[in-house]
Amino acid sequence: MAQPRIQYKTNAQMRTMREAGLVLIKALDAAVAAARPGITTAEIDKVFAAVLAEEGAASNFLGYYDFPATICTSVNEEVVHGIPGGRVLADGDIISIDGGAIVDGWHSDSARTVIVGTADPEDQRLSDVTETAMWHGIAAAAKGRFVGDIGAAIDDYVSSVPGKPLGILEDYVGHGIGSEMHQAPDVLNYRTSHRGPKLKPGMCLAIEPMLVRGGIETVTLEDDWTVVTTDGARSCQWEHTVAIHDKGIWVLTAPDGGASRLAPLGVTPVPVP
Ligand code: MG
Ligand code: MG
């Protein structure tokens, strides 16, 4: 089978993806604000879907291989692809909310993790390390030469964190994004000997490390979607869609393009010209 080809976007296309990113920021803000003890994951999905509708954006999750909702809600030992439903969030639950939007045919994809109610400090650390690992990966998209530099930066940062080691999932990875949600290339979250394709202007990447407090083995439940850790350990995901253009990078799903979180890493993001 031929290698899937990378879709290099024009600046105009990336600016439309920014519009899809801005809608997604708004929808995720609302979903995160709604995530409190006592609410069901289906109710959070409704909140998210309502913002997309208000903004006139389409969902890239709904109907994707028959996925029945506009977000994935992955709670506690659920790693990714949790289906919103009747599950009621309890105090101390850690939930990853992963969503996307389409504007004029161009996609965005982003995930945040929230701990509802009182956070277990180890869960808070899991979320903080995952989020910071994502920013290290994003910085590597600006400073590196190859797609593989992103996973190496994530891996190096996670390994450098003092305290109990956290696992980086290998079964699920980031991806190219553009006129479809999932495109070439794969964006691994760990270091390998394969450096991957060159980072080039026009590439848009979803960078999405998934970390666990236990082992990295996962299994998919009978609903054919929900992925859980085999040992039941808690997991977490953060994700942004990042555009690489000829003047720099711009995080399409961050309000400030990533400026505040990238500054300490020596990167000044630049809006898509
Ligand atoms: Mg996602
Ligand atoms: Mg993604």
Side-chain angles (χ1 to χ4, degrees), residues 36-108:
R36 287 185 305 269
I39 196 170
T40 66
T41 51
E43 288 172 294
I44 300 174
D45 177 57
K46 274 196 189 134
V47 167
F48 182 95
V51 176
L52 292 198
E54 262 167 45
E55 298 290 322
S59 168
N60 39 15
F61 281 47
L62 186 66
Y64 185 82
Y65 291 97
D66 295 327
F67 190 78
T70 61
I71 50 174
C72 294
T73 50
S74 305
V75 183
N76 298 342
E77 77 289 353
E78 296 171 359
V79 182
V80 282
H81 305 160
I83 303 174
R87 182 167 185 161
V88 177
L89 293 184
D91 188 51
D93 277 350
I94 179 168
I95 176 174
S96 301
I97 302 173
D98 187 0
I102 310 171
V103 170
D104 294 338
W106 294 90
H107 292 240
S108 60

Side-chain angles (χ1 to χ4, degrees), residues 172-183:
Y172 300 89
V173 299
H175 50 91
I177 179 167
S179 60
E180 287 174 82
M181 178 162 55
H182 291 132
Q183 298 183 327

Side-chain angles (χ1 to χ4, degrees), residues 119-139:
D120 174 335
E122 288 299 315
D123 287 339
Q124 190 61 57
R125 172 175 176 266
L126 171 70
S127 181
D128 292 346
V129 171
T130 308
E131 186 182 8
T132 304
M134 172 191 66
W135 285 109
H136 279 266
I138 293 170

